[in-house]
Amino acid sequence: MSATTTTQAATLAEIRRIVGAAGVVDDAQDAEPYLIDHRRLYRGRAALIVRPGSTDEVARVVRACRDAGIAIVPQGGNTGYCGGATPDASGSQLLLSLERMRAVREVDAVNHTLTVEAGVILAEVQRAAEAHDLLFPLSLGAEGSCRIGGNLSTNAGGIAVLHYGNARELVLGLEVVLPDGQIWNGLRKLRKNNAGYDLKHLFIGAEGTLGIITAAVLKLFPRPRARATAWLAVADPEAASRLLAQLRGACGDVVTSFEYVPRFALELVLAHIPGTRDPLDTPREHYVLVELMSATPDESLQAALEQALADALAAGTVLDGTLAQSEDQRRAFWRLRETIPEAQTRAGGSLKHDVSVPVSAVATLLARGMQAARAIAPQARVCAYGHVGDGNLHFNFQAPPGQSLEAFVAAHGAAISSALYGEVVQLGGSVCAEHGVGQLKRELLERYSDPVGVAIMRTLKSALDPDDLMNPGKVL
Ligand code: FAD
Ligand code: MLT
Ligand code: ZN
């Protein structure tokens, strides 16, 4: 045994003592889900999988790893799309799951804040807010299994960004274990704090490369007392963008969600998700799911939406539509939107692109992206849908009928992706919208970002993590 191996073995034994028996995953079968990413693109190995129970334990584990030169991969709910939470294949990295840190440390209903540990599942955060008649508005399809530390580390987006912003906008303070094992206590509950650099934003969206988020102070909002939800057929994507602007003009800041669903995506859902049905009698090519929310029990919300839609119908922007008349119907509309990823998986999987452009350029991107892809693979089936209210499209492609996804991607994947990303960049967009970079999009970040910006990122990384021990091989 070399001296290094002996030190590492001693360190791993020390780490076992720090976290105790409940904090170690030893059984090979139990370990499996931690080592494969949600999309099954990556499979890693780990020297040890630990689940510390407190910030102090996290800090002691990190210090021990730093001293022995062991790299750490933080993991939340492991629902990320870019392989950020999966260790490499060397078997030398330590996987640190935050899943045992699930305490709600404080609810301050007057300050409208919630202080939670990083391992709290997003749906539990939402419920903790609701228990105090308040709202935590971050909402996404994986909310039953993703964890708030992962949401902040990926700066998650989801379905209410139009009104409430990304995860970044929903945070007042953080507690972070730094790569050298120090604990940064930035758990402030302040809405104004200009005491120098705003350090929390360094760690939000850093995907675990600058430190481990152990707790956060989240912003809460008044709970919506009125909602109006509509499933609409629109003339084309251009009409969808016009409708969004008209609705915001007519109804104001209450427009909370505005999601685009093409017919192809709806048909995948209807075919693969049990219990779903088309809300409209006549099939159309383009749909939007619109939701308005208000904190006052305002019956005029529904009336305002109806009036705006009547105007849009008269103008030919909207072709058809239906308003949810009950909570069940509202949920049914949302199910049609939120099960698109699952339907795509059941239909054989897809070549995914998570991109954003200015809202005003969404229709152009849809047209150009489809044209570019069809020039490469005329039979490719485009499934481009998403959060068009904030300019974020999931521009995905299913293989032609009869061809496997693997064969389709091998033949055309690189050319389609490169053509699509070219269009995105030309329109002033981003090739990493809400799902982050991880290990999947590292080269894209380098290729499509401003080189000075990438150099600043490297400077920050080497200042905070000079030995590259915090989630190496991710983002940069
Ligand atoms: P993980 O996957 O465990 O980790 C993600 C990254 O964060 C990794 O790099 C990991 O190392 C790091 N990390 C995790 N916890 C910490 C921590 N405490 N400290 C430091 N680093 C940490 N995303 C969206 O943005 N919008 C959507 O609408 C959306 N919809 C989705 C729908 C489905 C069905 C699925 C499966 C995923 C969806 N996602 C969406 C992607 C995913 O859910 C989000 O990226 C989510 O925020 C990841 O959280 P997690 O806890 O699973 O993180
Ligand atoms: C969504 O908005 O449905 C997700 O971010 C995209 C996906 O899960 O593929
Ligand atoms: Zn999304």
Side-chain angles (χ1 to χ4, degrees):
M1 237 192 215
S2 73
T4 319
T5 325
T6 316
T7 316
Q8 290 189 343
T11 302
L12 295 177
E14 185 195 338
I15 290 172
R16 283 174 179 277
R17 279 193 296 277
I18 293 170
V19 296
V24 179
V25 180
D26 271 327
D27 180 79
Q29 220 174 337
D30 294 345
E32 187 76 358
Y34 297 88
L35 301 174
I36 305 175
D37 75 304
H38 183 85
R39 290 175 64 190
R40 309 185 90 76
L41 298 176
Y42 301 98
R43 170 185 286 273
R45 296 196 305 127
L48 190 64
I49 300 174
V50 292
R51 307 152 68 233
S54 67
T55 302
D56 180 57
E57 284 183 14
V58 173
R60 288 163 64 202
V61 170
V62 171
R63 277 200 293 275
C65 286
R66 193 260 329 251
D67 292 347
I70 297 172
I72 299 175
V73 180
Q75 190 174 96
N78 198 19
T79 67
Y81 274 150
C82 300
T86 312
D88 68 16
S90 68
S92 65
Q93 301 184 325
L94 179 123
L95 191 137
L96 190 150
S97 166
L98 280 300
E99 69 191 345
R100 281 179 67 226
M101 293 190 55
R102 286 175 76 156
V104 174
R105 289 192 189 165
E106 191 201 29
V107 183
D108 183 340
V110 174
N111 196 41
H112 278 61
T113 51
L114 184 62
T115 305
V116 290
E117 292 188 342
V120 182
I121 288 180
L122 176 56
E124 289 171 2
V125 176
Q126 295 165 347
R127 281 196 288 272
E130 274 161 28
H132 292 264
D133 205 23
L134 292 167
L135 172 79
F136 181 64
L138 185 67
S139 178
L140 44 124
E143 64 198 24
S145 43
C146 59
R147 295 174 190 270
I148 193 69
N151 300 141
L152 301 184
S153 299
T154 56
N155 185 26
I159 58 171
V161 171
L162 175 59
H163 185 76
Y164 292 102
N166 294 289
R168 185 183 296 288
E169 276 92 21
L170 305 174
V171 182
L172 292 180
L174 284 185
E175 176 186 84
V176 180
V177 174
L178 301 176
D180 64 4
Q182 289 189 84
I183 300 169
W184 172 55
N185 183 352
L187 279 182
R188 310 303 300 274
K189 301 196 311 188
L190 305 173
R191 285 181 172 72
K192 285 187 176 170
N193 179 13
N194 285 345
Y197 304 146
D198 197 340
L199 298 177
K200 62 180 178 286
H201 288 303
L202 271 184
F203 302 99
I204 299 171
E207 302 182 45
T209 59
L210 298 179
I212 300 174
I213 296 175
T214 47
V217 180
L218 305 173
K219 280 191 210 169
L220 301 180
F221 295 82
R223 196 170 62 81
R225 298 239 166 358
R227 276 196 174 103
T229 311
W231 180 267
L232 307 171
V234 289
D236 50 36
E238 190 72 56
S241 304
R242 275 202 315 277
L243 176 66
L244 173 62
Q246 282 161 8
L247 278 175
R248 297 183 90 185
C251 305
D253 201 25
V254 291
V255 185
T256 313
S257 298
F258 193 90
E259 299 282 317
Y260 170 69
V261 179
R263 180 77 200 170
F264 180 73
L266 178 63
E267 279 176 359
L268 282 186
V269 168
L270 298 176
H272 293 280
I273 307 294
T276 52
R277 63 171 205 87
D278 188 340
L280 302 177
D281 294 333
T282 313
R284 307 278 188 176
E285 278 308 300
H286 310 279
Y287 303 95
V288 291
L289 174 53
V290 181
E291 188 154 272
L292 275 53
M293 293 205 299
S294 160
T296 46
D298 185 356
E299 272 135 38
S300 65
L301 202 63
Q302 190 94 350
L305 182 57
E306 275 170 20
Q307 183 56 54
L309 294 181
D311 294 346
L313 265 167
T317 315
V318 169
L319 305 177
D320 196 357
T322 174
L323 268 72
Q325 300 299 334
S326 64
E327 181 57 20
D328 280 353
Q329 212 177 2
R330 173 183 169 264
R331 281 182 201 276
F333 290 174
W334 272 110
R335 192 148 177 260
L336 294 175
R337 161 62 186 91
E338 294 214 299
T339 54
I340 296 173
E342 189 183 333
Q344 283 196 287
T345 307
R346 291 190 190 189
S350 64
L351 172 64
K352 286 177 182 280
H353 306 88
D354 168 42
V355 297
S356 64
V357 289
V359 175
S360 48
V362 165
T364 310
L365 177 65
L366 273 166
R368 288 192 193 167
M370 278 190 209
Q371 200 182 18
R374 292 212 167 112
I376 295 162
Q379 308 302 324
R381 294 179 297 165
V382 182
C383 186
Y385 65 94
H387 320 287
V388 303
D390 60 54
N392 176 197
L393 278 175
H394 299 304
F395 214 128
N396 302 343
F397 298 87
Q398 306 276 140
Q403 191 177 28
S404 73
L405 179 65
E406 291 70 28
F408 170 65
V409 170
H412 305 297
I416 290 180
S417 299
S418 155
L420 178 69
Y421 289 144
E423 300 295 348
V424 169
V425 170
Q426 252 198 2
L427 291 168
S430 169
V431 300
C432 304
E434 62 171 4
H435 295 158
V437 182
Q439 47 186 312
L440 181 69
K441 289 184 154 185
R442 241 159 41 119
E443 280 155 28
L444 293 182
L445 178 90
E446 190 94 37
R447 193 176 329 147
Y448 293 111
S449 303
D450 174 66
V452 177
V454 175
I456 296 172
M457 290 187 208
R458 287 197 202 291
T459 305
L460 289 169
K461 171 74 175 165
S462 58
L464 282 169
D465 184 20
D467 301 322
D468 197 19
L469 292 177
M470 201 48 84
N471 216 2
K474 314 293 167 53
V475 183
L476 289 170

